[in-house]
Amino acid sequence: MTNTTLRSVISDARLVAGKDLRLEWRSRVTLNQLLPFALLVLVLFAFALDPDRSVLKDATPGLFWLAVLFSTLLAIQRAFAVETVDGIIDALRISGLDPAGIFLGKAAGIALHLLVVEAALLVGVTVMYGASPSGLLLVVATSIAATAGLAAAGAVYGVLAAGLRVRDTLLPILWLPVVAPLLIGATQAFGSAYEKSSGAGWRWCGLLGAFAVLYTAIGFVAFEPLLEES
Amino acid sequence: MDPVVRFRAAVCLLGRFPALAGVDLDVNAGEIVLLQGPNGAGKTTLLRACAGLVKVAQGEASVLGVNLVDDPKAVRPLVGLLGHATGLYDDLSVSENIRFWTRAGGASLTDADNAMARLGLDGRLASVPVARLSAGQRRRSALAVLLARRPRLWLLDEPHAALDQAGRDLVDSLMVDAVNAGATVLFASHELDRAQEVADRSVHVVGGTTQPSGNVGHTSEAVEVD
């Protein structure tokens, strides 16, 4: 990829991400639906497992990332629902935007929404489960790496499902198995951060970074043909 | 000079159905050509094929020198398509929509502002979310996107639909102005009286094939707009 092409891709990505953030600012879906949903999942986990905080505290890393995973599904569905109405997919195809730029922009938009949700969830597990991390730097790095991977895979599977009538039910079936490695890695890294033994956590964090790069590379290649078929 | 649009025995499949079943069509630079025909005849598919959105499965097809059989995507930055849908985001304002799509097409924000002014969208409507617009106002906004992007080939599917009298006159004048600026226009319409006034000639599309209909009334230089 030449420098000019890369600049064009980044410019298109900024345009698409900016548009998605403006759409969110207008519709307030993250604020009014995604955040309450994520926090509700935390509450339901607390009801289901035990009011005894020790169980919840031990399970915090896994519960946190499960809540993120469920919220990501909603974020992906929202991100591509706005592109599938009133001929917008055709407009995108014909727009002159680089498909790789659209992919990066959509992924960046999803990632920013998720980071807001994760910040709220961190406060939530601290307040509700009594769990506070000792390795804050590892928590931040893990969140960024895992979010990048979730968003990149989400953008790929979001556009794949966009053209299908059964997209709302099919998306979880397709996407969740693919991001299972991210769930495992992020849970392990968070486990280390919450247990004051961050050494192994950084190795898991590195693995998450590798998955994020892999999913982004797949998105660069696969997004265009998927957009054509959607 | 090669025609802007050249189809020879072109076949386009929608699934297994041949929506275009051997189309022959030439459109020369600077022409305004009307596609007319009954519902389901293939007019929309023909326009979408010209935009590189539907694959040409057999035959020959080129638009603006781009071979649509080999590389349909290459023609997309060169054409503008206004279909039945407007391609606008409901939650963004008129101005935000037009500016987004204009920038996406590589045109300047000045082009966007000029287009909004031409379509009468630069007043209070500019900041109104598209979701609150009437069908005619949405159509005007979509036309502003098309105008701002200054395509070399305008592909319009029922461009007069949902518009009031002033809006319809404006569409006609936009087509004539586009041609005067060096573009070419291919459009489909069921409003034959009006469409034939502005078109240089018309082509019948019937059952996925084309039949030339010859010259029709032409409005050459300008169409008056209220």
Side-chain angles (χ1 to χ4, degrees), chain B residues 10 41 64 80 82 91 93 112 115 134 145 158 163 166 222:
Chain B
L64 293 163
L82 175 63
D91 289 323
S93 70
S134 69
V145 171
E158 299 291 346
L163 291 171

Side-chain angles (χ1 to χ4, degrees), chain A residues 15-16 19 22-23 26-27 78 82-83 85-88 90-97 224 228-229, chain B residues 48 51 53 55 73 76-77 79 81 85-89 91-93 96 100-101 103-105 138 149:
Chain A
L15 187 63
V16 171
K19 178 265 297 173
R22 202 167 288 119
L23 277 171
R26 295 270 184 276
S27 63
R78 164 67 184 169
V82 296
E83 310 291 0
V85 293
D86 202 22
I88 289 176
D90 275 350
L92 276 176
R93 288 191 193 115
I94 210 172
S95 66
L97 289 168
E224 182 173 8
E228 289 300 314
E229 295 303 323
Chain B
R48 286 171 58 80
L53 290 170
K55 287 176 187 163
K73 282 178 266 184
R76 294 177 185 174
V79 304
L81 172 68
T86 56
L88 301 171
Y89 294 98
D91 289 323
L92 294 185
S93 70
E96 288 167 336
F100 171 74
W101 289 117
R103 287 183 65 196
R138 289 180 78 109
R149 296 186 57 189

Side-chain angles (χ1 to χ4, degrees), chain A residues 20-40:
Chain A
D20 277 3
L21 292 179
R22 202 167 288 119
L23 277 171
E24 166 54 26
W25 181 251
R26 295 270 184 276
S27 63
R28 302 279 206 279
V29 168
T30 297
L31 196 67
N32 295 337
Q33 294 177 26
L34 215 53
L35 278 179
F37 172 79
L39 294 172
L40 187 62

Side-chain angles (χ1 to χ4, degrees), chain A residues 43 74 117 165 226 230:
Chain A
V43 173
L74 295 187
V117 169
R165 286 179 192 159
L226 293 173
S230 61

Side-chain angles (χ1 to χ4, degrees), chain B:
Chain B
M1 188 186 285
D2 289 339
V4 169
V5 176
R6 184 176 185 279
F7 278 54
R8 289 290 179 276
V11 174
C12 291
L13 302 174
L14 296 181
R16 290 181 180 177
F17 176 71
L20 297 183
V23 165
D24 294 312
L25 177 66
D26 281 331
V27 179
N28 295 312
E31 275 194 306
I32 300 177
V33 175
L34 164 66
L35 298 175
Q36 59 183 92
N39 291 331
K43 302 184 296 296
T44 297
T45 304
L46 180 52
L47 290 170
R48 286 171 58 80
C50 288
L53 290 170
V54 176
K55 287 176 187 163
V56 177
Q58 283 179 36
E60 298 172 23
S62 69
V63 169
L64 293 163
V66 175
N67 187 330
L68 297 183
V69 180
D70 294 340
D71 189 10
K73 282 178 266 184
V75 81
R76 294 177 185 174
L78 309 176
V79 304
L81 172 68
L82 175 63
H84 295 157
T86 56
L88 301 171
Y89 294 98
D90 275 354
D91 289 323
L92 294 185
S93 70
V94 170
S95 166
E96 288 167 336
N97 264 293
I98 294 170
R99 284 169 165 246
F100 171 74
W101 289 117
T102 301
R103 287 183 65 196
S108 71
L109 292 181
T110 307
D111 292 325
D113 293 342
N114 291 341
M116 287 171 63
R118 179 75 200 276
L119 270 296
L121 299 166
D122 54 344
R124 65 176 184 83
L125 272 180
S127 57
V128 173
V130 163
R132 290 193 204 153
L133 298 182
S134 69
Q137 289 167 332
R138 289 180 78 109
R139 201 79 176 156
R140 275 178 183 256
S141 303
L143 277 163
V145 171
L146 196 70
L147 179 64
R149 296 186 57 189
R150 293 193 286 189
R152 290 171 58 191
L153 174 63
W154 289 45
L155 302 164
L156 308 174
D157 200 355
E158 299 291 346
H160 302 104
L163 291 171
D164 56 17
Q165 184 66 38
R168 292 170 185 208
D169 291 344
L170 185 56
V171 167
D172 293 348
S173 73
L174 287 174
M175 285 196 268
V176 172
D177 287 354
V179 166
N180 289 338
T184 304
V185 178
L186 180 61
F187 74 110
S189 181
H190 289 296
E191 298 193 37
L192 296 183
D193 288 346
R194 172 175 285 278
Q196 286 176 344
E197 280 287 308
V198 77
D200 292 305
R201 63 188 172 92
S202 66
V203 173
H204 275 285
V205 183
V206 181
T209 60
T210 46
Q211 301 162 2
S213 316
N215 293 332
V216 294
H218 176 48
T219 60
S220 67
E221 285 304 305
V223 171
E224 299 226 347
V225 181
D226 294 336

